[in-house]
Amino acid sequence: MTNDDRDMTNETTNLPGAFIRHSSFVIRHSTVGEVVRWAADELSHAEVECARMTGELLVAQVLGWTRERVIAHPEGGLSPEQVDLFRTLVRRRCSGEPLQYITGEREFYGLRFKVTPSVLIPRPETEFLVGEVLRLSNNLPRTQSVCLADVGTGSGCIAIAVLHNLPGCRAWATDISAPALEVARQNAMRFAVGDRIRFVCADLLECFPERPAFDFIVSNPPYGARGNREAVQAIVRDYEPEGAVFGGPSGYEAYSRLIPQAERRLLPGAYLLLEVGFGQWEEVARMAEHEGFAVDRMVEDLQGIPRCIVARRETADQRR
Ligand SMILES: C[S@@+](CC[C@H](N)C(=O)[O-])C[C@H]1O[C@@H](n2cnc3c(N)ncnc32)[C@H](O)[C@@H]1O
C-alpha cells in the first residue's frame, strides 16, 4: 500500500462499511466484493428490493462489466474515482430513483433498450403484446408485408421487438412526446431496424388518413387515473413521465379516443391489441365491441391479471 492509496482527509462519514478504516485515514481503493457488500447493506437499509443484485448491477455499470463478471470476480479493483461514482449511484437508488434510469437500460423481450426519464420503463407484462402480434402474424398470408402501428411508442420497445422478430414487418410509431421519440429512434438504430420504422410526433393515430392501412395497431396507452394518483406507487408517480402514466381523470381517456380511430385505419380482419391496467379489461373490451370489434382474446399476465385485449376488425362479410 502506498500513500496514494490513502485518503488523508480523515473522511469518515457515510463511507462504505467494507472500506478499511484507520484512525487517521481511509484506504480508498476497494474491491468489487467489498463495495457490493457495502451497497447491499445500504440498499437494504433504505428498503430497496433485491439489494445485493442492485449493488452488483451498479458496480457493473461503473466498471463497464456484466453482472456475471462482477459475481465471478469479487477480487476486482475499483479506482477512487470509480468508488466515488459508485457511491453516488447507490445514493440515487437509496433515495428512490428507479434502477433503470440510473443504468440507462432495461431488458425487454430479450433486447437491452436504452431508457431515459423521458420514457416509461418497459414492463414485463407488455411483452405479452409483442408475443400476441408474433403469434397472430402467422395467420397472415406469407407473401404479405405486415404493417403495424405502435401508438404511444415511448422507448419504442413494442414496435422494435416485433420488427426484430419479424423481418417482413414495417412499422409506424407515434408518440406525443418528442423526447420519447428521440429515445425510440436511438433504440431502432441500436437494433438495426431503423430502415423499417417511421416515427411520428402525433396525437394517437390522428396523423394517418382515415382509411384501412394497418394489419396491427398496438398500444400500451397511459391508463392511470389522475383522480386516483395516490394509488400509484411512488417510484412510478415521482419518476416516470406523467404523460406516460396518467391517461386522464378516469384512466380510460386514451382508449375511448384510440379505439374508434383504430377501427377506421385497420384493414378488414386486422387486429387491435391493447394493454390494459388492473381492473380495466371489461370496460375496454366493451368499448371495442361498441365500435364493432370482435374481442377474440384476453391475455393474462404471470400474476393472472388480464393485461392484453386482442380485438379483430370485422371483415366485409361479417358486416353484412
Ligand atoms: C404507458 S407509455 C407506453 C410506452 C411504451 N409503448 C411501453 O409500452 O413501454 C404511454 C406512451 O404514450 C405516450 N402518449 C400519451 N398520450 C399520447 C397521445 N395522445 N398520443 C400519442 N402518444 C401519447 C406517452 O408519451 C408514452 O410514451
Side-chain angles (χ1 to χ4, degrees):
M1 185 172 62
T2 67
N3 276 347
D4 290 346
D5 292 329
R6 301 170 182 183
D7 178 350
M8 304 302 285
T9 59
N10 199 19
E11 181 190 359
T12 54
T13 52
N14 209 12
L15 282 166
F19 284 18
I20 302 161
R21 291 163 195 232
H22 294 253
S23 55
S24 59
F25 65 85
V26 178
I27 301 169
R28 297 188 69 202
H29 279 234
S30 213
T31 68
V32 165
E34 285 169 340
V35 297
V36 167
R37 273 197 301 282
W38 168 75
D41 280 354
E42 294 284 308
L43 292 157
S44 303
H45 201 246
E47 297 181 2
V48 172
E49 283 176 17
C50 308
R52 188 175 180 91
M53 184 177 81
T54 301
E56 289 162 354
L57 288 167
L58 292 176
V59 182
Q61 170 77 8
V62 167
L63 293 176
W65 290 8
T66 62
R67 180 175 165 231
E68 291 70 24
R69 188 169 167 197
V70 166
I71 294 168
H73 291 285
E75 78 290 355
L78 286 85
S79 69
E81 293 73 25
Q82 287 170 327
V83 171
D84 281 347
L85 175 60
F86 177 69
R87 291 164 61 189
T88 304
L89 301 187
V90 171
R91 286 205 191 104
R92 281 168 64 185
R93 184 67 194 100
C94 284
S95 64
E97 187 173 346
L99 177 65
Q100 297 81 2
Y101 288 150
I102 299 172
T103 62
E105 289 191 326
R106 165 64 166 204
E107 189 169 317
F108 180 85
Y109 220 80
L111 303 172
R112 197 164 285 280
F113 281 84
K114 172 181 171 146
V115 293
T116 72
S118 299
V119 300
L120 190 92
I121 299 165
R123 305 294 205 270
E125 53 267 27
T126 306
E127 295 178 333
F128 288 99
L129 282 181
V130 176
E132 283 300 299
V133 172
L134 298 179
R135 186 181 67 79
L136 292 166
S137 67
N138 290 326
N139 301 342
L140 298 174
R142 291 238 172 268
T143 48
Q144 188 178 321
S145 163
V146 177
C147 188
L148 170 142
D150 174 16
V151 184
T153 197
S155 62
C157 59
I158 299 172
I160 292 170
V162 170
L163 294 183
H164 190 259
N165 287 281
L166 205 58
C169 183
R170 290 173 298 112
W172 292 86
T174 73
D175 206 293
I176 200 123
S177 157
L181 285 171
E182 187 44 41
V183 176
R185 265 189 206 100
Q186 291 177 25
N187 279 320
M189 301 306 282
R190 180 182 279 213
F191 300 112
V193 298
D195 57 338
R196 289 188 286 132
I197 188 165
R198 294 282 172 273
F199 295 99
V200 191
C201 194
D203 185 7
L204 302 179
L205 289 165
E206 279 184 358
C207 55
F208 303 112
E210 287 189 12
R211 61 165 185 262
F214 296 105
D215 300 291
F216 293 100
I217 294 178
V218 187
S219 186
N220 172 21
Y223 52 63
R226 214 168 256 129
N228 203 11
R229 267 186 83 82
E230 294 313 310
V232 176
Q233 282 179 303
I235 192 170
V236 175
R237 207 178 51 216
D238 296 346
Y239 288 93
E240 300 203 60
E242 173 90 10
V245 175
F246 296 103
S250 76
Y252 290 98
E253 288 77 1
Y255 299 107
S256 64
R257 294 175 54 230
L258 174 60
I259 292 170
Q261 289 184 8
E263 201 279 331
R264 293 193 284 274
R265 290 161 175 87
L266 279 167
L267 292 159
Y271 295 95
L272 170 65
L273 294 95
L274 298 171
E275 181 169 323
V276 292
F278 180 78
Q280 288 181 321
W281 87 268
E282 281 179 334
E283 178 60 16
V284 175
R286 195 196 57 71
M287 288 177 178
E289 280 168 353
H290 181 76
E291 291 300 324
F293 283 96
V295 175
D296 272 9
R297 213 164 124 78
M298 177 276 292
V299 185
E300 293 179 349
D301 67 17
L302 294 174
Q303 292 166 307
I305 298 169
R307 275 296 172 194
C308 165
I309 289 177
V310 180
R312 193 165 200 196
R313 206 198 127 174
E314 289 182 337
T315 60
D317 290 349
Q318 288 166 325
R319 287 174 171 226
R320 273 189 222 120

